């Protein structure tokens, strides 16, 4: 058993009630040195009293194993497992195993940083797309819709000056123009719904549900508690 403990790539120690280390395997000794009969907080951190953040001795109060993280004097992070332990003579000890997880933590930090960058990039892409949609909707309103409106007005003026035979054709032409204006406004609303900025996300979702029913004939039920927190523009 001792041979196994000596070759393990984690540290294993036995602690007494008065903070002395009665056993430490090779991994612990190579990392932190010999205790020289000093208490753990004395030779590890050169302190005169136990560390405030130490959770090792909570197992004596609970009688159950404890799992926590500890930053050692080598500034590396260890995943700690503590167990209440009885020696062969019946004395109370604490068996502690520590796994060096510093590299894993660094990888997690790197992954989180990458995720934050990806979220920022995705947000910027969404914002750029939204700006393009708003710009296109504005252009559609200022050019196509305005031109169609002018064409409809002129056709109405001409209609009053033409023979009765052509009157019906002009009426059909005006209907086509009106339909084109309606379709253009519908496209504008779908690309950049004014209700989203004017009335908020709940009203915009209610509008979307209604449009879905009209456009696709799909039954949509929308419910809101009207208590949603303000959202950033790209989230909306």
């Amino acid at each position: 058993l001792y041979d196994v403990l000596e070759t393990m790539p984690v540290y294993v120690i036995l602690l007494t009630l008065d903070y002395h280390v009665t056993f430490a395997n090779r991994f612990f000794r190579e990392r932190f040195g010999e205790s020289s009969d000093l208490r753990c907080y004395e030779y590890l951190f050169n302190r005169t009293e136990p560390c405030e953040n130490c959770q090792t001795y909570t197992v004596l109060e609970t009688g159950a194993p404890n799992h926590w993280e500890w930053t050692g004097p080598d500034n590396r992070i260890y995943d700690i497992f503590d167990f209440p332990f009885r020696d062969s003579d019946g004395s109370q000890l604490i068996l502690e195993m520590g796994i060096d997880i510093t590299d894993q933590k660094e990888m997690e930090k790197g992954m989180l940083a990458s995720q934050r960058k990806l979220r920022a990039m995705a947000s910027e892409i969404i914002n750029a797309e939204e700006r393009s949609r708003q710009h296109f909707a504005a252009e559609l309103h200022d050019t196509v819709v305005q031109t169609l409106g002018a064409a409809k007005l002129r056709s109405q003026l001409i209609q009053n000056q033409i023979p009765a035979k052509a009157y019906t054709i002009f009426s059909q032409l005006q209907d086509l123009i009106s339909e084109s204006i309606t379709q253009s406004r519908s496209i504008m609303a779908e690309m950049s719904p004014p209700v989203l900025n004017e009335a908020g996300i709940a009203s915009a979702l209610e509008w979307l549900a209604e449009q879905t029913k009209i456009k696709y004939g799909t039954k949509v039920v929308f419910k809101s508690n009207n208590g949603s927190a303000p959202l950033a523009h790209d989230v909306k």
Side-chain angles (χ1 to χ4, degrees), residues 6 14 19 21 25 37 54 60 68 84-85 98 127-128 132-133 139 141 143 145 151 155 162 176 183 201 210 228:
E6 285 291 281
L14 284 174
Y19 297 90
V21 179
N25 70 343
D37 202 34
C54 179
L60 299 180
W68 58 294
F85 186 84
N127 287 332
S132 296
R133 290 161 69 93
E139 287 292 316
H141 175 270
T143 56
V145 174
S155 69
I162 60 174
L176 289 173
Q183 291 177 349
I201 187 69
E210 187 63 28
S228 57

Short mmCIF file of all heavy atoms in Angstrom, two decimals, residues 6 14 19 21 25 37 54 60 68 84-85 98 127-128 132-133 139 141 143 145 151 155 162 176 183 201 210 228:
data_model
loop_
_atom_site.label_atom_id
_atom_site.label_comp_id
_atom_site.label_asym_id
_atom_site.label_seq_id
_atom_site.Cartn_x
_atom_site.Cartn_y
_atom_site.Cartn_z
N GLU A 6 3.28 5.97 -2.70
CA GLU A 6 4.50 6.70 -3.07
C GLU A 6 4.56 7.02 -4.56
O GLU A 6 5.20 7.98 -4.97
CB GLU A 6 5.74 5.89 -2.68
CG GLU A 6 6.04 5.88 -1.19
CD GLU A 6 6.48 7.25 -0.70
OE1 GLU A 6 7.65 7.61 -0.91
OE2 GLU A 6 5.64 7.97 -0.13
N LEU A 14 -1.82 12.23 6.08
CA LEU A 14 -2.61 12.01 7.27
C LEU A 14 -2.34 13.15 8.23
O LEU A 14 -1.18 13.47 8.53
CB LEU A 14 -2.27 10.67 7.93
CG LEU A 14 -2.81 9.41 7.25
CD1 LEU A 14 -2.26 8.16 7.94
CD2 LEU A 14 -4.34 9.39 7.29
N TYR A 19 -2.92 19.44 13.85
CA TYR A 19 -2.36 19.97 12.60
C TYR A 19 -0.97 19.44 12.25
O TYR A 19 -0.27 20.05 11.44
CB TYR A 19 -2.31 21.51 12.64
CG TYR A 19 -3.67 22.16 12.75
CD1 TYR A 19 -4.22 22.43 13.99
CD2 TYR A 19 -4.40 22.49 11.61
CE1 TYR A 19 -5.48 23.02 14.10
CE2 TYR A 19 -5.66 23.10 11.70
CZ TYR A 19 -6.19 23.35 12.96
OH TYR A 19 -7.43 23.93 13.07
N VAL A 21 1.41 16.57 10.39
CA VAL A 21 1.33 15.62 9.28
C VAL A 21 2.10 14.37 9.68
O VAL A 21 3.34 14.38 9.75
CB VAL A 21 1.92 16.23 7.99
CG1 VAL A 21 1.84 15.21 6.85
CG2 VAL A 21 1.17 17.50 7.60
N ASN A 25 2.99 11.30 1.30
CA ASN A 25 3.62 10.50 0.24
C ASN A 25 4.64 11.34 -0.53
O ASN A 25 4.83 12.53 -0.27
CB ASN A 25 2.56 9.90 -0.69
CG ASN A 25 1.88 10.97 -1.54
OD1 ASN A 25 1.95 12.15 -1.24
ND2 ASN A 25 1.20 10.53 -2.60
N ASP A 37 8.33 18.14 11.96
CA ASP A 37 7.53 18.18 13.18
C ASP A 37 6.84 19.53 13.39
O ASP A 37 6.41 19.84 14.50
CB ASP A 37 8.39 17.83 14.40
CG ASP A 37 7.51 17.34 15.56
OD1 ASP A 37 6.49 16.68 15.28
OD2 ASP A 37 7.84 17.63 16.72
N CYS A 54 -9.10 27.27 5.41
CA CYS A 54 -8.89 25.82 5.41
C CYS A 54 -10.18 25.10 5.77
O CYS A 54 -10.84 25.43 6.76
CB CYS A 54 -7.80 25.46 6.42
SG CYS A 54 -7.49 23.68 6.52
N LEU A 60 -14.27 16.63 10.83
CA LEU A 60 -14.39 16.23 12.23
C LEU A 60 -15.72 16.69 12.82
O LEU A 60 -16.26 16.07 13.73
CB LEU A 60 -13.23 16.81 13.04
CG LEU A 60 -11.82 16.36 12.60
CD1 LEU A 60 -10.77 17.01 13.48
CD2 LEU A 60 -11.70 14.84 12.66
N TRP A 68 -13.26 20.15 -1.68
CA TRP A 68 -13.05 21.59 -1.84
C TRP A 68 -11.79 21.84 -2.64
O TRP A 68 -11.09 20.90 -3.04
CB TRP A 68 -12.99 22.29 -0.48
CG TRP A 68 -11.91 21.77 0.45
CD1 TRP A 68 -11.84 20.54 1.03
CD2 TRP A 68 -10.77 22.50 0.93
NE1 TRP A 68 -10.73 20.45 1.83
CE2 TRP A 68 -10.06 21.63 1.79
CE3 TRP A 68 -10.29 23.79 0.73
CZ2 TRP A 68 -8.88 22.02 2.44
CZ3 TRP A 68 -9.13 24.17 1.38
CH2 TRP A 68 -8.44 23.30 2.23
N PRO A 84 -12.71 11.51 7.28
CA PRO A 84 -12.40 11.15 8.67
C PRO A 84 -11.76 9.77 8.70
O PRO A 84 -12.19 8.86 7.98
CB PRO A 84 -13.77 11.18 9.35
CG PRO A 84 -14.77 11.05 8.25
CD PRO A 84 -14.15 11.62 7.03
N PHE A 85 -10.75 9.59 9.55
CA PHE A 85 -9.93 8.37 9.48
C PHE A 85 -9.56 7.94 10.90
O PHE A 85 -9.17 8.78 11.73
CB PHE A 85 -8.67 8.66 8.66
CG PHE A 85 -7.80 7.46 8.39
CD1 PHE A 85 -8.07 6.60 7.35
CD2 PHE A 85 -6.70 7.21 9.21
CE1 PHE A 85 -7.26 5.50 7.09
CE2 PHE A 85 -5.88 6.11 8.96
CZ PHE A 85 -6.16 5.26 7.91
N GLY A 98 -4.97 15.32 -2.50
CA GLY A 98 -5.01 16.54 -3.31
C GLY A 98 -4.56 16.28 -4.73
O GLY A 98 -3.49 15.70 -4.96
N ASN A 127 -25.64 42.50 -34.77
CA ASN A 127 -25.84 43.96 -34.85
C ASN A 127 -25.62 44.47 -36.27
O ASN A 127 -26.36 45.34 -36.75
CB ASN A 127 -24.89 44.67 -33.89
CG ASN A 127 -25.31 44.50 -32.43
OD1 ASN A 127 -26.49 44.32 -32.15
ND2 ASN A 127 -24.36 44.53 -31.52
N ALA A 128 -24.58 43.94 -36.94
CA ALA A 128 -24.31 44.37 -38.31
C ALA A 128 -25.46 43.97 -39.24
O ALA A 128 -25.89 44.75 -40.09
CB ALA A 128 -23.00 43.75 -38.80
N SER A 132 -28.05 46.44 -41.28
CA SER A 132 -28.29 46.29 -42.72
C SER A 132 -29.79 46.18 -43.00
O SER A 132 -30.30 46.77 -43.95
CB SER A 132 -27.57 45.05 -43.25
OG SER A 132 -26.17 45.20 -43.12
N ARG A 133 -30.48 45.41 -42.16
CA ARG A 133 -31.92 45.25 -42.35
C ARG A 133 -32.64 46.58 -42.15
O ARG A 133 -33.55 46.94 -42.92
CB ARG A 133 -32.45 44.21 -41.36
CG ARG A 133 -32.00 42.80 -41.66
CD ARG A 133 -32.15 41.89 -40.45
NE ARG A 133 -33.53 41.65 -40.12
CZ ARG A 133 -34.24 40.61 -40.54
NH1 ARG A 133 -33.68 39.73 -41.33
NH2 ARG A 133 -35.49 40.45 -40.18
N GLU A 139 -34.48 52.35 -46.87
CA GLU A 139 -34.35 52.61 -48.30
C GLU A 139 -35.63 52.21 -49.04
O GLU A 139 -36.09 52.90 -49.96
CB GLU A 139 -33.15 51.85 -48.87
CG GLU A 139 -31.81 52.42 -48.47
CD GLU A 139 -31.57 53.78 -49.11
OE1 GLU A 139 -31.85 53.94 -50.31
OE2 GLU A 139 -31.13 54.71 -48.40
N HIS A 141 -38.59 52.17 -47.82
CA HIS A 141 -39.63 53.16 -47.51
C HIS A 141 -39.40 54.45 -48.29
O HIS A 141 -40.35 55.05 -48.83
CB HIS A 141 -39.64 53.44 -46.00
CG HIS A 141 -40.58 54.54 -45.61
ND1 HIS A 141 -40.20 55.87 -45.55
CD2 HIS A 141 -41.90 54.51 -45.26
CE1 HIS A 141 -41.22 56.60 -45.20
NE2 HIS A 141 -42.28 55.81 -45.00
N THR A 143 -37.72 55.01 -51.08
CA THR A 143 -37.64 54.95 -52.55
C THR A 143 -38.85 54.24 -53.15
O THR A 143 -39.72 54.87 -53.75
CB THR A 143 -36.34 54.27 -52.99
OG1 THR A 143 -36.26 52.95 -52.39
CG2 THR A 143 -35.12 55.08 -52.56
N VAL A 145 -41.58 52.62 -51.86
CA VAL A 145 -42.93 52.93 -51.37
C VAL A 145 -43.33 54.34 -51.78
O VAL A 145 -44.48 54.60 -52.19
CB VAL A 145 -43.00 52.76 -49.84
CG1 VAL A 145 -44.36 53.24 -49.30
CG2 VAL A 145 -42.77 51.31 -49.46
N ALA A 151 -46.94 57.16 -57.99
CA ALA A 151 -47.54 56.56 -59.19
C ALA A 151 -49.04 56.39 -59.02
O ALA A 151 -49.83 56.64 -59.95
CB ALA A 151 -46.87 55.22 -59.49
N SER A 155 -51.91 58.23 -61.27
CA SER A 155 -52.90 57.43 -62.01
C SER A 155 -54.31 57.88 -61.67
O SER A 155 -55.22 57.85 -62.52
CB SER A 155 -52.71 55.94 -61.68
OG SER A 155 -53.07 55.66 -60.34
N ILE A 162 -59.69 60.34 -68.63
CA ILE A 162 -59.63 59.35 -69.71
C ILE A 162 -61.02 58.86 -70.06
O ILE A 162 -61.97 59.02 -69.27
CB ILE A 162 -58.75 58.15 -69.30
CG1 ILE A 162 -59.34 57.50 -68.04
CG2 ILE A 162 -57.31 58.58 -69.07
CD1 ILE A 162 -58.64 56.24 -67.64
N LEU A 176 -53.27 47.26 -58.18
CA LEU A 176 -51.94 46.62 -58.20
C LEU A 176 -50.92 47.46 -57.44
O LEU A 176 -50.09 46.94 -56.69
CB LEU A 176 -51.48 46.39 -59.64
CG LEU A 176 -52.21 45.30 -60.42
CD1 LEU A 176 -51.77 45.32 -61.89
CD2 LEU A 176 -51.93 43.93 -59.81
N GLN A 183 -47.52 45.16 -49.71
CA GLN A 183 -46.50 44.13 -49.63
C GLN A 183 -45.15 44.71 -49.22
O GLN A 183 -44.40 44.11 -48.42
CB GLN A 183 -46.38 43.40 -50.97
CG GLN A 183 -47.58 42.54 -51.31
CD GLN A 183 -47.46 41.89 -52.67
OE1 GLN A 183 -46.58 42.23 -53.46
NE2 GLN A 183 -48.36 40.97 -52.97
N ILE A 201 -40.16 44.07 -26.35
CA ILE A 201 -40.08 42.68 -26.82
C ILE A 201 -41.42 41.97 -26.72
O ILE A 201 -41.79 41.19 -27.61
CB ILE A 201 -38.98 41.91 -26.05
CG1 ILE A 201 -38.76 40.51 -26.63
CG2 ILE A 201 -39.31 41.83 -24.57
CD1 ILE A 201 -38.14 40.51 -27.99
N GLU A 210 -49.28 37.15 -34.18
CA GLU A 210 -50.44 37.51 -35.00
C GLU A 210 -50.10 37.42 -36.49
O GLU A 210 -50.90 36.90 -37.29
CB GLU A 210 -50.90 38.93 -34.66
CG GLU A 210 -52.18 39.36 -35.34
CD GLU A 210 -53.37 38.52 -34.93
OE1 GLU A 210 -53.38 37.98 -33.79
OE2 GLU A 210 -54.31 38.39 -35.74
N SER A 228 -41.00 41.41 -17.94
CA SER A 228 -39.66 41.09 -18.42
C SER A 228 -38.72 42.27 -18.22
O SER A 228 -39.10 43.44 -18.36
CB SER A 228 -39.70 40.72 -19.92
OG SER A 228 -40.26 41.78 -20.65
#
